[in-house]
PDB file of all heavy atoms in Angstrom:
ATOM      1  N   PHE A  75      -3.270  -2.507  12.282  1.00  0.00           N
ATOM      2  CA  PHE A  75      -2.159  -3.221  11.677  1.00  0.00           C
ATOM      3  C   PHE A  75      -2.684  -4.317  10.752  1.00  0.00           C
ATOM      4  O   PHE A  75      -3.678  -4.963  11.071  1.00  0.00           O
ATOM      5  CB  PHE A  75      -1.281  -3.889  12.751  1.00  0.00           C
ATOM      6  CG  PHE A  75      -0.580  -2.927  13.649  1.00  0.00           C
ATOM      7  CD1 PHE A  75      -1.052  -2.677  14.928  1.00  0.00           C
ATOM      8  CD2 PHE A  75       0.572  -2.280  13.234  1.00  0.00           C
ATOM      9  CE1 PHE A  75      -0.406  -1.802  15.771  1.00  0.00           C
ATOM     10  CE2 PHE A  75       1.229  -1.396  14.078  1.00  0.00           C
ATOM     11  CZ  PHE A  75       0.745  -1.158  15.340  1.00  0.00           C
ATOM     12  N   ASN A  76      -1.986  -4.553   9.658  1.00  0.00           N
ATOM     13  CA  ASN A  76      -2.294  -5.669   8.769  1.00  0.00           C
ATOM     14  C   ASN A  76      -1.538  -6.884   9.285  1.00  0.00           C
ATOM     15  O   ASN A  76      -0.306  -6.905   9.294  1.00  0.00           O
ATOM     16  CB  ASN A  76      -1.885  -5.341   7.338  1.00  0.00           C
ATOM     17  CG  ASN A  76      -2.323  -6.375   6.341  1.00  0.00           C
ATOM     18  OD1 ASN A  76      -2.595  -7.520   6.692  1.00  0.00           O
ATOM     19  ND2 ASN A  76      -2.387  -5.984   5.085  1.00  0.00           N
ATOM     20  N   GLY A  77      -2.239  -7.910   9.714  1.00  0.00           N
ATOM     21  CA  GLY A  77      -1.622  -9.101  10.278  1.00  0.00           C
ATOM     22  C   GLY A  77      -0.820  -9.913   9.291  1.00  0.00           C
ATOM     23  O   GLY A  77      -0.018 -10.760   9.678  1.00  0.00           O
ATOM     24  N   HIS A  78      -1.000  -9.666   7.988  1.00  0.00           N
ATOM     25  CA  HIS A  78      -0.227 -10.385   6.968  1.00  0.00           C
ATOM     26  C   HIS A  78       1.229  -9.929   6.947  1.00  0.00           C
ATOM     27  O   HIS A  78       2.049 -10.537   6.277  1.00  0.00           O
ATOM     28  CB  HIS A  78      -0.840 -10.189   5.581  1.00  0.00           C
ATOM     29  CG  HIS A  78      -2.201 -10.790   5.441  1.00  0.00           C
ATOM     30  ND1 HIS A  78      -2.418 -12.149   5.432  1.00  0.00           N
ATOM     31  CD2 HIS A  78      -3.428 -10.217   5.324  1.00  0.00           C
ATOM     32  CE1 HIS A  78      -3.708 -12.389   5.290  1.00  0.00           C
ATOM     33  NE2 HIS A  78      -4.346 -11.231   5.245  1.00  0.00           N
ATOM     34  N   THR A  79       1.541  -8.879   7.658  1.00  0.00           N
ATOM     35  CA  THR A  79       2.904  -8.350   7.686  1.00  0.00           C
ATOM     36  C   THR A  79       3.854  -9.309   8.379  1.00  0.00           C
ATOM     37  O   THR A  79       5.002  -9.427   7.996  1.00  0.00           O
ATOM     38  CB  THR A  79       2.917  -6.985   8.414  1.00  0.00           C
ATOM     39  OG1 THR A  79       1.992  -6.132   7.766  1.00  0.00           O
ATOM     40  CG2 THR A  79       4.277  -6.359   8.381  1.00  0.00           C
ATOM     41  N   GLY A  80       3.400  -9.974   9.382  1.00  0.00           N
ATOM     42  CA  GLY A  80       4.248 -10.873  10.162  1.00  0.00           C
ATOM     43  C   GLY A  80       4.565 -10.242  11.505  1.00  0.00           C
ATOM     44  O   GLY A  80       4.841  -9.038  11.589  1.00  0.00           O
ATOM     45  N   MET A  81       4.551 -11.035  12.549  1.00  0.00           N
ATOM     46  CA  MET A  81       4.736 -10.505  13.902  1.00  0.00           C
ATOM     47  C   MET A  81       6.134  -9.949  14.131  1.00  0.00           C
ATOM     48  O   MET A  81       6.306  -9.008  14.894  1.00  0.00           O
ATOM     49  CB  MET A  81       4.416 -11.581  14.938  1.00  0.00           C
ATOM     50  CG  MET A  81       2.930 -11.865  15.080  1.00  0.00           C
ATOM     51  SD  MET A  81       1.909 -10.388  15.312  1.00  0.00           S
ATOM     52  CE  MET A  81       2.380  -9.896  16.946  1.00  0.00           C
ATOM     53  N   SER A  82       7.146 -10.494  13.481  1.00  0.00           N
ATOM     54  CA  SER A  82       8.501  -9.968  13.687  1.00  0.00           C
ATOM     55  C   SER A  82       8.609  -8.528  13.188  1.00  0.00           C
ATOM     56  O   SER A  82       9.281  -7.699  13.798  1.00  0.00           O
ATOM     57  CB  SER A  82       9.539 -10.857  13.011  1.00  0.00           C
ATOM     58  OG  SER A  82       9.302 -10.907  11.619  1.00  0.00           O
ATOM     59  N   ALA A  83       7.941  -8.207  12.090  1.00  0.00           N
ATOM     60  CA  ALA A  83       7.961  -6.841  11.566  1.00  0.00           C
ATOM     61  C   ALA A  83       7.054  -5.918  12.386  1.00  0.00           C
ATOM     62  O   ALA A  83       7.347  -4.732  12.551  1.00  0.00           O
ATOM     63  CB  ALA A  83       7.534  -6.827  10.105  1.00  0.00           C
ATOM     64  N   LEU A  84       5.970  -6.457  12.901  1.00  0.00           N
ATOM     65  CA  LEU A  84       5.027  -5.640  13.679  1.00  0.00           C
ATOM     66  C   LEU A  84       5.507  -5.354  15.095  1.00  0.00           C
ATOM     67  O   LEU A  84       5.085  -4.377  15.706  1.00  0.00           O
ATOM     68  CB  LEU A  84       3.663  -6.332  13.758  1.00  0.00           C
ATOM     69  CG  LEU A  84       2.802  -6.341  12.519  1.00  0.00           C
ATOM     70  CD1 LEU A  84       1.499  -7.079  12.798  1.00  0.00           C
ATOM     71  CD2 LEU A  84       2.521  -4.948  12.029  1.00  0.00           C
ATOM     72  N   GLN A  85       6.372  -6.192  15.624  1.00  0.00           N
ATOM     73  CA  GLN A  85       6.779  -6.108  17.030  1.00  0.00           C
ATOM     74  C   GLN A  85       7.233  -4.709  17.468  1.00  0.00           C
ATOM     75  O   GLN A  85       6.747  -4.195  18.475  1.00  0.00           O
ATOM     76  CB  GLN A  85       7.864  -7.149  17.321  1.00  0.00           C
ATOM     77  CG  GLN A  85       8.169  -7.324  18.795  1.00  0.00           C
ATOM     78  CD  GLN A  85       6.972  -7.853  19.582  1.00  0.00           C
ATOM     79  OE1 GLN A  85       6.155  -8.610  19.052  1.00  0.00           O
ATOM     80  NE2 GLN A  85       6.865  -7.451  20.815  1.00  0.00           N
ATOM     81  N   PRO A  86       8.153  -4.037  16.746  1.00  0.00           N
ATOM     82  CA  PRO A  86       8.564  -2.701  17.211  1.00  0.00           C
ATOM     83  C   PRO A  86       7.422  -1.687  17.215  1.00  0.00           C
ATOM     84  O   PRO A  86       7.332  -0.841  18.107  1.00  0.00           O
ATOM     85  CB  PRO A  86       9.648  -2.280  16.221  1.00  0.00           C
ATOM     86  CG  PRO A  86       9.942  -3.451  15.368  1.00  0.00           C
ATOM     87  CD  PRO A  86       8.898  -4.465  15.579  1.00  0.00           C
ATOM     88  N   TYR A  87       6.529  -1.801  16.244  1.00  0.00           N
ATOM     89  CA  TYR A  87       5.398  -0.879  16.166  1.00  0.00           C
ATOM     90  C   TYR A  87       4.383  -1.166  17.280  1.00  0.00           C
ATOM     91  O   TYR A  87       3.816  -0.239  17.848  1.00  0.00           O
ATOM     92  CB  TYR A  87       4.739  -0.971  14.789  1.00  0.00           C
ATOM     93  CG  TYR A  87       5.667  -0.536  13.687  1.00  0.00           C
ATOM     94  CD1 TYR A  87       6.450  -1.461  13.013  1.00  0.00           C
ATOM     95  CD2 TYR A  87       5.791   0.801  13.333  1.00  0.00           C
ATOM     96  CE1 TYR A  87       7.322  -1.070  12.010  1.00  0.00           C
ATOM     97  CE2 TYR A  87       6.652   1.207  12.340  1.00  0.00           C
ATOM     98  CZ  TYR A  87       7.414   0.269  11.688  1.00  0.00           C
ATOM     99  OH  TYR A  87       8.281   0.670  10.703  1.00  0.00           O
ATOM    100  N   LEU A  88       4.188  -2.441  17.567  1.00  0.00           N
ATOM    101  CA  LEU A  88       3.297  -2.806  18.672  1.00  0.00           C
ATOM    102  C   LEU A  88       3.853  -2.318  20.005  1.00  0.00           C
ATOM    103  O   LEU A  88       3.100  -1.861  20.876  1.00  0.00           O
ATOM    104  CB  LEU A  88       3.096  -4.321  18.716  1.00  0.00           C
ATOM    105  CG  LEU A  88       2.284  -4.930  17.571  1.00  0.00           C
ATOM    106  CD1 LEU A  88       2.382  -6.449  17.592  1.00  0.00           C
ATOM    107  CD2 LEU A  88       0.847  -4.480  17.645  1.00  0.00           C
ATOM    108  N   GLN A  89       5.169  -2.388  20.166  1.00  0.00           N
ATOM    109  CA  GLN A  89       5.790  -1.903  21.404  1.00  0.00           C
ATOM    110  C   GLN A  89       5.607  -0.399  21.559  1.00  0.00           C
ATOM    111  O   GLN A  89       5.317   0.090  22.655  1.00  0.00           O
ATOM    112  CB  GLN A  89       7.266  -2.269  21.434  1.00  0.00           C
ATOM    113  CG  GLN A  89       7.518  -3.734  21.667  1.00  0.00           C
ATOM    114  CD  GLN A  89       8.990  -4.099  21.615  1.00  0.00           C
ATOM    115  OE1 GLN A  89       9.819  -3.326  21.144  1.00  0.00           O
ATOM    116  NE2 GLN A  89       9.312  -5.289  22.102  1.00  0.00           N
ATOM    117  N   ILE A  90       5.772   0.333  20.459  1.00  0.00           N
ATOM    118  CA  ILE A  90       5.580   1.791  20.515  1.00  0.00           C
ATOM    119  C   ILE A  90       4.133   2.113  20.871  1.00  0.00           C
ATOM    120  O   ILE A  90       3.863   2.930  21.753  1.00  0.00           O
ATOM    121  CB  ILE A  90       5.991   2.449  19.184  1.00  0.00           C
ATOM    122  CG1 ILE A  90       7.504   2.371  18.999  1.00  0.00           C
ATOM    123  CG2 ILE A  90       5.511   3.895  19.129  1.00  0.00           C
ATOM    124  CD1 ILE A  90       7.990   2.806  17.633  1.00  0.00           C
ATOM    125  N   ALA A  91       3.181   1.476  20.179  1.00  0.00           N
ATOM    126  CA  ALA A  91       1.763   1.731  20.460  1.00  0.00           C
ATOM    127  C   ALA A  91       1.419   1.349  21.897  1.00  0.00           C
ATOM    128  O   ALA A  91       0.685   2.067  22.577  1.00  0.00           O
ATOM    129  CB  ALA A  91       0.888   0.952  19.479  1.00  0.00           C
ATOM    130  N   GLY A  92       1.975   0.250  22.379  1.00  0.00           N
ATOM    131  CA  GLY A  92       1.717  -0.175  23.760  1.00  0.00           C
ATOM    132  C   GLY A  92       2.332   0.760  24.777  1.00  0.00           C
ATOM    133  O   GLY A  92       1.704   1.091  25.785  1.00  0.00           O
ATOM    134  N   SER A  93       3.567   1.211  24.514  1.00  0.00           N
ATOM    135  CA  SER A  93       4.225   2.104  25.473  1.00  0.00           C
ATOM    136  C   SER A  93       3.536   3.470  25.542  1.00  0.00           C
ATOM    137  O   SER A  93       3.538   4.111  26.584  1.00  0.00           O
ATOM    138  CB  SER A  93       5.705   2.274  25.119  1.00  0.00           C
ATOM    139  OG  SER A  93       5.849   3.008  23.926  1.00  0.00           O
ATOM    140  N   LEU A  94       2.939   3.901  24.435  1.00  0.00           N
ATOM    141  CA  LEU A  94       2.208   5.168  24.418  1.00  0.00           C
ATOM    142  C   LEU A  94       0.729   4.991  24.783  1.00  0.00           C
ATOM    143  O   LEU A  94      -0.032   5.957  24.753  1.00  0.00           O
ATOM    144  CB  LEU A  94       2.331   5.832  23.041  1.00  0.00           C
ATOM    145  CG  LEU A  94       3.741   6.248  22.638  1.00  0.00           C
ATOM    146  CD1 LEU A  94       3.757   6.754  21.210  1.00  0.00           C
ATOM    147  CD2 LEU A  94       4.284   7.305  23.584  1.00  0.00           C
ATOM    148  N   GLN A  95       0.347   3.757  25.101  1.00  0.00           N
ATOM    149  CA  GLN A  95      -1.016   3.405  25.499  1.00  0.00           C
ATOM    150  C   GLN A  95      -2.052   3.819  24.456  1.00  0.00           C
ATOM    151  O   GLN A  95      -3.063   4.440  24.766  1.00  0.00           O
ATOM    152  CB  GLN A  95      -1.345   4.005  26.869  1.00  0.00           C
ATOM    153  CG  GLN A  95      -0.453   3.472  27.959  1.00  0.00           C
ATOM    154  CD  GLN A  95      -0.752   4.076  29.308  1.00  0.00           C
ATOM    155  OE1 GLN A  95      -1.495   5.035  29.422  1.00  0.00           O
ATOM    156  NE2 GLN A  95      -0.170   3.498  30.340  1.00  0.00           N
ATOM    157  N   ARG A  96      -1.780   3.460  23.210  1.00  0.00           N
ATOM    158  CA  ARG A  96      -2.707   3.735  22.113  1.00  0.00           C
ATOM    159  C   ARG A  96      -3.470   2.460  21.772  1.00  0.00           C
ATOM    160  O   ARG A  96      -2.909   1.367  21.770  1.00  0.00           O
ATOM    161  CB  ARG A  96      -1.981   4.211  20.851  1.00  0.00           C
ATOM    162  CG  ARG A  96      -1.196   5.486  21.013  1.00  0.00           C
ATOM    163  CD  ARG A  96      -2.092   6.659  21.420  1.00  0.00           C
ATOM    164  NE  ARG A  96      -1.357   7.897  21.430  1.00  0.00           N
ATOM    165  CZ  ARG A  96      -0.699   8.365  22.466  1.00  0.00           C
ATOM    166  NH1 ARG A  96      -0.681   7.700  23.601  1.00  0.00           N
ATOM    167  NH2 ARG A  96      -0.055   9.502  22.391  1.00  0.00           N
TER     168      ARG A  96
END
Side-chain angles (χ1 to χ4, degrees):
F75 295 102
N76 187 339
H78 295 291
T79 304
M81 286 310 290
S82 61
L84 286 180
Q85 191 63 32
Y87 296 93
L88 291 169
Q89 288 177 345
I90 291 171
S93 69
L94 296 174
Q95 298 179 349
R96 299 300 186 271

